[in-house]
Amino acid sequence: MKKVKRALAMAGVVVLAGMYGITLIAAVMATPVAKDFFKASLLATLMVPILIYVYLLVYRLITGKGQEKEEGPEKKR
């Protein structure tokens, strides 16, 4: 599972870097659609990390992973 998470994280980095590159290229282009490319890329650059965070949060809530297990009073120290 650790290798899968690492691979997905690397894919996310590549996707975000690509979106940053597209945003930069669209910002300096002088074509009529450059403004639309820039807006779409900027929106995707903001929304992709937010959606990934929400997905991970919902996954943790559904599966119960990442929560501390309750201990009895005799085990706490």
Side-chain angles (χ1 to χ4, degrees):
M1 185 67 173
K2 195 171 188 179
K3 289 184 180 182
V4 173
K5 284 184 181 180
R6 187 173 290 164
L8 289 175
M10 187 56 74
V13 168
V14 170
V15 168
L16 284 174
M19 286 190 296
Y20 293 144
I22 291 170
T23 303
L24 179 65
I25 291 169
V28 296
M29 286 180 12
T31 61
V33 295
K35 187 176 183 179
D36 294 332
F37 282 152
F38 180 75
K39 287 180 184 178
S41 182
L42 198 60
L43 180 66
T45 301
L46 294 173
M47 292 306 295
V48 167
I50 291 171
L51 290 175
I52 290 171
Y53 176 76
V54 169
Y55 172 75
L56 290 173
L57 183 65
V58 169
Y59 175 76
R60 279 189 226 137
L61 289 173
I62 290 173
T63 61
K65 292 185 178 184
Q67 295 178 354
E68 294 181 24
K69 293 183 179 181
E70 293 186 29
E71 296 179 4
E74 63 277 351
K75 291 186 178 181
K76 288 186 179 180
R77 286 191 180 229

